[in-house]
Amino acid sequence: FFVEYFKRFVVSCVPSWFWGPTVTLQDCLAAFFARDELKGDNMYSCEKCKKLRNGVKFCKVQRFPEILCIHLKRFRHELMFSTKIGTHVSFPLEGLDLQPFLAKDSPAQIVTYNLLSVICHHGTASNGHYIAYCRNNLNNQWYEFDDQSVTEVPESVVQNAEAYVLFYRKSNEEAKKERQRLSSLNVMEPSLLQFYISRQWLNKFRTFAEPGPISNNDFLCVHGGVPPRKATSVEDLVIMLPQNIWDSLYSRYGGGPAVNHLYVCHTCQMETEKIEKRRKTELEMFIRLNKAFQEEESPSIFYCISMQWFREWEGFVKGKDSDPPGPIDNTKIAVNKCGTVLLKQGADSGQISEETWYFLQSIYGGGPEIILRPPVPPIEPEPLETEDKIELETHSL
């Protein structure tokens, strides 16, 4: 008993001897969320009365994430040098309560977190080494990860670590009980109906404290069928459940929609075929017009087009992007001088024929038109022969 008491005494007191008064993670969070008074030189401009007013600035959290990442400020960068902040910050391994920082109208119900991992930095602001401590969910043991070395460590080592980045996970005992209750149900129970459920949502149910409503939208289209592009891989996106399991999940989490049959959506199939036909038509027409443009020896006119827009269009017609681009946007390559739209010097642009421009413009619209006219060299008169000169002189006499 005495040895154990002495260990606890050393663990709790020794850090304060080396680092001074203990700063807790709650102190850091309270300082981060503290109210700031806006007065004097920091008065804010009221949007209603258009005058400078005294005020108070504060922030609250509307919704907490499943995994919370807290980054402590360990480095101070000045104008000429940088220093490391070595203040020891104590942090809880379990039961981090964030209720004080939650907005009043927030729908969040779970605000308690347990530590999942912590990253530490050893060294100075100019050089150092990183290690990490992570908890294994299977045996609840902590491990130190130092490059290729992995070592089991006690909780006391983690608690006294000089934390740089902390990772917390939401804690929900009700979710754990619900998973245990669901696993105890008889999956072999005879069922007249089988239900398909998103594998992605089911993974959230197995790991998240708050998985949210059931969502099967990752393998369904807006019409309730399977999108054609996912038809070959839909088996990897779903899991089939018996009716009793589905009823239990649906009664608790809601959502959906319920799916008993997987079929390729006919409406989406027709839209896909229509868009593929459009891609082919536009691409073939562009190739034909551009080929004719390249065969011209000295075209009298060029039309400029933004390469940013053209790359988006090219990605669409080649099937890399599913959605067509918006209207042609030449505003970034154009400059207006004395009412005339000219090409901006050094602009990211391309040159196409007049026919190609009007073809693309008739489909997508947009603009403005930017026209280039190559300079035409002056035509010198051919020298007349001697007999012609004599004849002209004779006529003049």
Side-chain angles (χ1 to χ4, degrees), residues 302 304 330-344 357 367-373:
F302 297 100
C304 299
N330 279 346
T331 55
K332 293 183 180 180
I333 66 170
V335 59
N336 195 315
K337 289 186 178 181
C338 302
T340 304
V341 180
L342 303 175
L343 179 66
K344 187 184 295 185
W357 167 262
E369 291 185 358
I370 305 176
I371 301 174
L372 293 180
R373 300 182 187 275

Side-chain angles (χ1 to χ4, degrees), residues 310-333:
F310 185 83
R311 293 186 193 101
E312 293 177 3
W313 174 81
E314 185 179 15
F316 167 68
V317 295
K318 289 185 176 180
K320 296 179 181 178
D321 298 326
S322 57
D323 297 325
I328 299 173
D329 185 8
N330 279 346
T331 55
K332 293 183 180 180
I333 66 170

